[in-house]
């Protein structure tokens, strides 16, 4: 049996591991705050510090994490960021 785990990074830097898939968690997150940027990543849009097009598409989060943005998600991410 395959066990699925999802890592959740909190604003205070703590990381939680939950026994649910991202697809199971996503419907419980408010659309007004969260955006899926990759099949494996959902972000709090208010925590994006920068959008980078250097060597791929990335968002740099307030905590310094650099996260890849899927090409198929680029337009929706740019629209949410007001770019």
């Amino acid at each position: 049996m395959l066990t699925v785990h999802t890592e959740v990074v909190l604003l205070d830097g703590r990381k939680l591991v939950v026994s649910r898939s991202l697809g199971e968690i996503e419907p419980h997150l408010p659309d007004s705050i969260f955006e899926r940027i990759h099949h494996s990543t959902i972000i709090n849009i208010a925590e994006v510090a920068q959008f980078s097009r250097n060597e791929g598409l990335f968002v740099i989060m307030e905590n310094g994490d650099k996260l890849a943005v899927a090409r198929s998600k680029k337009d929706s991410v740019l629209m949410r960021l007001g770019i």
Side-chain angles (χ1 to χ4, degrees):
M1 183 166 118
L2 178 64
T3 303
V4 177
H5 292 94
T6 299
E7 183 178 81
V8 178
V9 180
L10 303 176
L11 289 175
D12 65 7
R14 290 181 297 149
K15 295 180 182 182
L16 304 175
V17 177
V18 295
S19 299
R20 300 277 182 235
S21 71
L22 203 53
E24 291 174 285
I25 295 169
E26 186 175 19
H28 302 283
L29 300 173
D31 292 339
S32 61
I33 299 171
F34 295 94
E35 179 77 18
R36 187 179 277 252
I37 63 167
H38 196 274
H39 84 277
S40 62
T41 310
I42 297 174
I43 60 167
N44 177 336
I45 207 76
E47 291 299 310
V48 174
Q50 183 179 350
F51 182 83
S52 173
R53 289 185 172 111
N54 295 336
E55 299 175 26
L57 303 170
F58 295 93
V59 288
I60 313 299
M61 303 302 290
E62 289 290 342
N63 69 0
D65 287 349
K66 182 178 180 181
L67 305 171
V69 176
R71 279 186 272 189
S72 63
K73 304 289 186 183
K74 180 186 92 168
D75 291 339
S76 65
V77 171
L78 289 174
M79 185 170 41
R80 289 290 302 272
L81 294 173
I83 298 174

